Every structure is written in structure tokens, then in C-alpha cells.
Amino acid sequence: MKYDIITNTPPDPSELQDLFMQTSWAKDRTIEGIKLLLAHTQNYVLVKDGSRLIGFGRALSDGIYRAVLDDIVVDEKYRKQGIGNCIVKELLSQLEEVEQVFLNTKPELEHFYNTHGFSKSKAFAMGLG
């Protein structure tokens, strides 16, 4: 892959908003909300093509027992090139000491996450909102 992987500098909120606008689940996020999201996120991965943000993913974690992968997105023009795989692998390497890592996803992405060792949980999930 010819792209830059960045894990030590957060993205520009407006660049991230541009990626989020390509999704059904994050298209309405505001710059202010994205700034807060970034301020409270310790584990993240950016993929850049030159100066352009083309991929992003983050994890929420206590650093020892639990983590949740979230907001994994790849620019529509760059999909099917292994960028999503790279993001997930890098996040999992950042979380290798964490006991359990979870994620929520659409059924059509189940196979993608299975290739990274995830499987359907037998637990019953609940949520607000």
C-alpha cells in the first residue's frame, strides 16, 4: 500500500467530517461534535494519500479489559484496496493488551470482521439511541 498510516496526530475535524458524510451512520455529525470525539479518543488510525485523509478508525478503551472499535470509514474512491484491513489491524495492534475487543457493524460487513478474528457474540446487546 502506498499510503501513509498515522497514529500520533489526530485528523483535521473538517477532513474527518468529509469522510463521515459518505456514511449513513455519521453523516450528520457536526464539526463541534467531531472535535469532542477526537479530544476523547486515545486510539485512532488515519490513512492519508499525500495530504488527503482517505481512511479513519478509532477505538474506545479502558486499556486493559474492554475496547470497542468504532467509526471505521474509508473514502468511497479508495475502497476495496485493503485500507479498511490496515485500519483494523493497526487498531488491534494498539489494543493487543486488552482482554476483549468489541464492535458493532452491519450484517454485510460480518465476513470482513471475521477475517480479523471477530465472531458474532452470544451476548444480548442493548443500547440507547
Side-chain angles (χ1 to χ4, degrees), residues 42-43 60-68 94-102:
Q42 293 181 353
N43 299 96
L60 307 171
S61 180
D62 59 21
I64 187 165
Y65 297 114
R66 302 287 182 270
V68 177
Q94 292 179 27
L95 302 167
E96 65 187 359
E97 300 298 320
V98 175
E99 186 178 274
Q100 284 187 300
V101 180
F102 299 92

Side-chain angles (χ1 to χ4, degrees), residues 60-83:
L60 307 171
S61 180
D62 59 21
I64 187 165
Y65 297 114
R66 302 287 182 270
V68 177
L69 299 190
D70 204 7
D71 293 334
I72 297 170
V73 60
V74 175
D75 187 296
E76 294 168 331
K77 296 174 189 144
Y78 291 83
R79 291 181 186 160
K80 305 292 184 194
Q81 296 183 33
I83 295 168

Side-chain angles (χ1 to χ4, degrees), residues 11-27 29 34 45-48 52-57 71-79 83 87:
D12 177 88
S14 63
E15 281 188 298
L16 187 51
Q17 186 182 44
D18 289 344
L19 274 184
F20 284 161
M21 289 167 85
Q22 297 179 22
T23 72
S24 60
W25 43 267
K27 65 182 180 201
R29 292 184 180 175
I34 293 169
V45 177
L46 285 64
V47 180
K48 288 196 161 199
R52 180 179 178 176
L53 182 66
I54 61 169
F56 177 80
D71 293 334
I72 297 170
V73 60
V74 175
D75 187 296
E76 294 168 331
K77 296 174 189 144
Y78 291 83
R79 291 181 186 160
I83 295 168
I87 292 169

Side-chain angles (χ1 to χ4, degrees), residues 28-45:
D28 297 324
R29 292 184 180 175
T30 64
I31 292 293
E32 294 76 23
I34 293 169
K35 285 178 183 177
L36 283 171
L37 172 154
L38 293 170
H40 296 285
T41 299
Q42 293 181 353
N43 299 96
Y44 53 85
V45 177

